[in-house]
Amino acid sequence: MNIYNDDVFQMACDQFQVIADYINIDKNDRDRLMFPKRAIAVTLPIHMDDGSTQTFQGYRVQHHLTLGPTKGGTRFTPNLSMGETAALAMWMSWKCALANLPYGGAKGGIACDPTMLSRRELEGVSRRYMQEMIPFVGPHTDIMGPDMGTNEQIMAWFMDTYSVYQGYAVSEIVTGKPVSIGGTEGRRESTGRGVVYLIERAMDMLKMDPEKCTAIIQGFGNVGSVAALAMALKVGVKVVGISDATVALFNPEGIDIKAADQHVAKKGNLRAFSEADRVDPNELLTMKCDILVPSAVDRVITVKNADKLQCRILAEGANGPTTPEADLLLNERSKEVFVIPDILCNAGGVIVSYFEWVQGLQSFLWTESEVTDKLFRILQHSFAQVIKRAKEHKVSHRTAAMAIGVERVMKAKQARGLFP
Ligand code: NAD
């Protein structure tokens, strides 16, 4: 369909239709649940350092406003499109509903490569984006957060731009901001920590001994690096493979994740990290390991590699890493590969964002251990619900997770009714 025309949006729709068939959603209700409530496209002209003016395209999609404001990350990646943004917003809706958060899903971003911009240019494009979004967002309408290519600093610029317009500090307009301006302790680590917490629950269920397990992690940004550090240093799993957009690395003896993290902090990426062998990035995903964590981009587990995965647990840190066709193959292998689906696996970020928003609205702060404790309790509950439903209904973990989310949104829409 028209403005959302995109492979990733089609994938999100296909996934939705599978759920709609499974829980028998009336044909009249499907489009209403599936298509975004609002989509905004903006053009952002920026003064570049060389004196030229460059325009960037920005997007924001608010999937539904039935349960409260929309909530979702902001992505700065070169090929971002309205369709991809809409798909991510839809996934956010099911993710928030699964965790029982009072939000609809949203997503936004700018089609740009942040690594090619100077700090001044990045600040310019970030501020301009928020300025253009001011009529459409607000602490009770739509709350932004970080995603690929954005970070705490960019959230601080968003918050400042919005606050200057209002005339007072509105910390609750964004989450994932620095602690010094109302950010929540532990938000930066929340997604990666949540991923690892759920991997531990899965290892408990499958009676796997962490000390004897190995892991491969694709993507070494916010989610991937935190997950790798927690896995290696807290859980005792040997991380044998890591990758980023520049290189894929493998070392059967285990990679020194702390050293890799420090290297990225200094150099910006893993390209020159020499304590492991370089391997083909596609092959890294199918190498032997106990736990595979795709935590970079979407659609990396496809029909081409789903039947070749050698992991016992597939923990989806990224959004949409597995295509629906690959899912069919993984369903056939459900006794071999235990899938922790994205809307459950990476929900830690939006759950702690919710805490940050509540803290901002109430001007009341919690400690990091209180935050992490509450996070794990919600994840544990969601995990148990998904496993129970999958077992009882004999469906995949993804189908169970999505069905719980979609049903909650559907019930809320039915209760509110359709305005004439
Ligand atoms: P990030 O920008 O901090 O890091 C992305 C990492 O992926 C970088 O290391 C980058 O080099 C790498 N990468 C990019 N393309 C790659 C490729 N083709 N192959 C291998 N590595 C590649 O982003 P992030 O915040 O860590 O987000 C990663 C994923 O997790 C995204 O799918 C995002 O939507 C999802 N996610 C993030 C959060 C969050 O709180 N940050 C929450 C939920 C889900």
Side-chain angles (χ1 to χ4, degrees):
M1 140 132 182
N2 45 59
I3 61 166
Y4 303 118
N5 201 357
D6 178 277
D7 289 349
V8 194
F9 186 67
Q10 192 54 52
M11 168 176 156
C13 293
D14 292 347
Q15 286 177 336
F16 171 80
Q17 295 297 356
V18 170
I19 303 304
D21 288 342
Y22 155 52
I23 55 176
N24 270 325
I25 299 180
D26 191 290
K27 295 268 183 264
N28 287 312
D29 291 332
R30 292 190 183 199
D31 282 1
R32 187 178 167 216
L33 272 162
M34 192 169 74
F35 285 107
K37 177 85 175 166
R38 289 185 196 136
I40 302 130
V42 290
T43 300
L44 311 167
I46 307 299
H47 287 303
M48 304 300 281
D49 290 349
D50 65 4
S52 66
T53 299
Q54 202 172 318
T55 53
F56 295 87
Q57 220 48 56
Y59 307 99
R60 186 78 186 162
V61 175
Q62 300 168 350
H63 186 248
H64 76 81
L65 288 141
T66 309
L67 284 158
T70 48
K71 178 82 194 81
T74 324
R75 183 173 274 205
F76 286 8
T77 48
N79 300 317
L80 189 72
S81 65
M82 185 65 100
E84 180 185 350
T85 312
L88 290 159
M90 197 192 316
W91 288 326
M92 276 302 286
S93 284
W94 318 141
K95 190 188 302 184
C96 292
L98 174 63
N100 237 338
L101 304 178
Y103 290 140
K107 208 76 178 191
I110 303 174
C112 72
D113 182 351
T115 63
M116 300 304 285
L117 299 175
S118 70
R119 185 180 161 92
R120 196 200 61 78
E121 291 165 343
L122 189 61
E123 178 170 357
V125 79
S126 303
R127 287 187 180 278
R128 186 70 191 224
Y129 175 76
M130 175 48 101
Q131 191 195 344
E132 295 295 341
M133 288 295 161
I134 285 174
F136 310 104
V137 299
H140 296 285
T141 318
D142 183 15
I143 305 122
M144 296 185 186
D147 194 75
M148 275 182 80
T150 57
N151 55 23
E152 290 186 352
Q153 178 58 71
I154 291 172
M155 295 307 112
W157 289 327
F158 283 173
M159 180 250 178
D160 184 67
T161 306
Y162 189 85
S163 299
V164 166
Y165 173 79
Q166 297 294 337
Y168 54 91
V170 189
S171 68
E172 59 275 19
I173 183 64
V174 291
T175 61
K177 56 195 171 285
V179 172
S180 59
I181 53 167
T184 288
E185 300 278 359
R187 166 62 185 92
R188 197 182 62 76
E189 299 84 358
S190 57
T191 309
R193 270 187 194 152
V195 168
V196 175
Y197 176 80
L198 292 167
I199 290 171
E200 285 185 273
R201 299 289 67 76
M203 284 198 293
D204 286 348
M205 257 187 80
L206 302 170
K207 303 196 179 1
M208 293 162 71
D209 177 358
E211 303 278 336
K212 291 186 184 142
C213 288
T214 56
I216 291 178
I217 296 163
Q218 182 194 44
F220 207 74
N222 176 298
V223 181
S225 69
V226 172
L229 282 167
M231 210 109 75
L233 304 179
K234 289 211 177 105
V235 186
V237 168
K238 195 198 286 181
V239 179
V240 291
I242 53 175
S243 71
D244 68 5
T246 64
V247 74
L249 301 166
F250 186 79
N251 182 348
E253 302 308 316
I255 297 171
D256 182 344
I257 297 299
K258 217 168 165 186
D261 191 49
Q262 284 164 354
H263 179 91
V264 171
K266 259 194 226 142
K267 309 270 181 191
N269 58 52
L270 286 167
R271 188 183 285 127
F273 187 68
S274 55
E275 293 176 33
D277 295 331
R278 284 168 173 248
V279 292
D280 181 309
N282 295 324
E283 279 172 23
L284 186 71
L285 296 172
T286 54
M287 292 175 87
K288 193 161 175 44
C289 65
D290 298 290
I291 304 149
L292 178 65
V293 191
S295 47
V297 290
D298 52 76
R299 295 174 297 159
V300 292
I301 314 282
T302 65
V303 276
K304 289 193 182 137
N305 60 9
D307 56 351
K308 298 195 189 97
L309 298 188
Q310 298 194 61
C311 58
R312 180 69 185 95
I313 296 173
L314 174 64
E316 296 182 344
N319 284 310
T322 305
T323 65
E325 298 77 24
D327 240 355
L328 295 176
L329 296 175
L330 289 177
N331 290 349
E332 284 167 22
R333 300 185 62 201
S334 63
K335 292 217 160 56
E336 296 160 63
V337 183
F338 183 102
V339 177
I340 311 178
D342 53 0
I343 64 165
L344 169 64
C345 193
N346 66 36
V350 72
I351 293 169
V352 176
S353 282
Y354 164 66
F355 299 154
E356 185 176 330
W357 176 68
V358 170
Q359 287 178 296
L361 289 173
Q362 299 183 342
S363 304
F364 185 75
L365 300 180
W366 303 322
T367 63
E368 184 163 350
S369 63
E370 283 174 302
V371 167
T372 309
D373 221 46
K374 286 184 210 294
L375 164 66
F376 288 169
R377 253 183 286 151
I378 294 181
L379 286 178
Q380 164 62 39
H381 185 64
S382 302
F383 183 77
Q385 281 187 315
V386 169
I387 299 298
K388 184 166 178 276
R389 176 146 183 167
K391 250 191 203 144
E392 285 178 2
H393 288 218
K394 295 193 177 29
V395 292
S396 71
H397 295 162
R398 186 181 323 280
T399 299
M402 281 188 62
I404 295 169
V406 172
E407 270 170 4
R408 284 190 180 142
V409 178
M410 185 175 66
K411 279 189 187 143
K413 280 196 187 284
Q414 283 167 348
R416 286 188 56 169
L418 190 58
F419 195 71

